[in-house]
Amino acid sequence: MAVNALRRTTGAAGAQLVGVGAYRPDLAVDSAGIADRFGRTGEWVRERTGIVSRRFADESESIEVMGAAAASRALDHSGLPAADVDLVIVATCSARSPIPGLAAGIADAVGAGRAAGFDLNAACAGFCYALGVAADTVRAGSARTVLVVGTERMSAWVDPTDLGTSIIFGDGAGAAVVTAADEPGIGPVVWGSDGSAADLIHIPDGGLMHMAGQSVFRWATTEIHPIALQACERAGIRPADLSAIVPHQANLRIINALAAKIGAPDAAVARDVVDAGNTSAASIPMAIDRMLAEGQADPGGLALLVGFGAGLTYAAQVVRLPLRVPAPV
């Protein structure tokens, strides 16, 4: 007898963020040291980017090593064992080798070696993309606990003779643990792309990064805030309800302009970029970890996450922050 319908799966009513973690390389490089190569000063860099220093990974700090360290800290923060992880999603745009992906290795490194895993590249919007996929996977019933990792070694792709990219990018990793919940704790992701402008940020085959900085700045400061407001609307909240705003840490001027246009004057705004630089897909989870650890954001409060970058890709969602405070990194 023919079966006309698939068996109904038992998904979750919602998904929630229960843990975050970060890894910051040991080597801190101040803006003055980089600016001097171009006949500029550290103050010149700070005025244009807000970046005072950034971290650079050494040869022992691969993107897999950094990602696994951040993932382990996120699991510790969540209080869940690694054996509970069903799926690992790694957001990165700085992997040197396409095969194998990072997810399986990171899963094994943290003790979740039997988990499903895949990598995702949406550049600086990658963490928001991956978090949206994780939440939807949990709600669909395909996984109950998902480890989402953003890990980048952007310094490997920066041309040291290019002023525009040399002063911005840094290295690091951040991670989050997503689990099933009775109530929604991660709102719908609002995402998209504009491939007609993809060449504004790109790495040619065999080359290093090229970025049309002024054009990207104009796009980010004029086109992204409506996406952020739409994410609030789809989550059923007002900007005034937000405890925190966590934009991609691209540039302090972009962050401040975006926060001002969202209209949430009482919300704390992540400014991790000041001493982390632009860490692409790692920047949002790294910033969340710091905000919670340093008391800048309320545990259990609502946070608006906004990612944007090469592609041009963008994504935003509202999340409820974990109830526990992570240990400082």
Side-chain angles (χ1 to χ4, degrees):
M1 182 176 178
V3 177
N4 295 320
L6 294 173
R7 180 184 176 189
R8 183 173 180 178
T9 58
T10 304
Q16 62 183 344
L17 195 64
V18 295
V20 291
Y23 178 86
R24 300 171 187 272
D26 290 334
L27 178 61
V29 179
D30 66 29
S31 291
I34 295 176
D36 186 62
R37 301 203 310 256
F38 301 95
R40 305 292 201 277
T41 64
E43 183 60 29
W44 184 90
V45 174
R46 289 191 291 273
E47 287 176 356
R48 286 155 180 80
T49 68
I51 300 171
V52 175
S53 65
R54 75 285 293 139
R55 302 293 184 98
F56 285 166
D58 64 25
E59 289 305 312
S60 69
E61 295 170 307
S62 67
I63 51 178
E64 184 172 315
V65 166
M66 293 190 292
S72 291
R73 289 168 182 166
L75 283 168
D76 288 345
H77 181 214
S78 74
L80 297 175
D84 282 2
V85 175
D86 306 300
L87 171 64
V88 177
I89 306 175
V90 175
T92 187
C93 64
S94 57
R96 278 291 188 184
S97 173
I99 298 175
L102 297 170
I106 289 176
D108 182 66
V110 302
R114 305 299 292 179
F118 64 89
D119 296 359
L120 178 157
N121 183 352
C124 300
F127 180 78
C128 290
Y129 268 62
L131 187 62
V133 172
D136 287 349
T137 300
V138 167
R139 286 189 288 260
S142 296
R144 184 168 180 85
T145 301
V146 183
L147 185 56
V148 181
V149 182
T151 182
E152 303 282 19
R153 191 175 179 185
M154 300 304 295
S155 61
W157 295 99
V158 169
D159 181 350
T161 67
D162 177 49
L163 172 64
T165 53
S166 291
I167 61 175
I168 291 176
F169 289 99
D171 304 332
V177 179
V178 175
T179 64
D182 293 332
E183 299 292 335
I186 299 175
V189 62
V190 178
W191 51 5
S193 65
D194 180 6
S196 69
D199 282 349
L200 292 182
I201 311 171
H202 73 282
I203 297 175
D205 186 19
L208 298 171
M209 184 181 300
H210 291 259
M211 182 171 69
Q214 292 186 354
S215 296
V216 172
F217 181 90
R218 286 193 296 270
W219 170 73
T221 54
T222 58
E223 301 295 329
I224 298 303
H225 72 275
I227 307 303
L229 293 174
Q230 189 179 351
C232 291
E233 181 180 357
R234 292 193 62 188
I237 68 146
R238 303 166 302 157
D241 298 325
L242 293 169
S243 169
I245 299 172
V246 192
H248 163 51
Q249 302 292 288
N251 173 307
L252 189 59
R253 292 169 61 203
I254 293 174
I255 292 167
N256 290 339
L258 179 60
K261 290 180 178 180
I262 289 170
D266 296 330
V269 179
R271 295 185 172 91
D272 196 46
V273 69
V274 173
D275 61 13
N278 180 338
T279 55
S280 191
S283 78
I284 288 177
M286 288 175 66
I288 295 172
D289 179 82
R290 169 171 278 178
M291 293 184 84
L292 286 172
E294 296 184 355
Q296 300 172 27
D298 299 328
L302 295 175
L304 171 63
L305 315 184
V306 190
F308 48 89
L312 296 170
T313 58
Y314 52 85
Q317 66 261 88
V318 176
V319 305
R320 189 169 294 282
L321 294 171
L323 294 173
R324 300 172 63 193
V325 176
V329 176

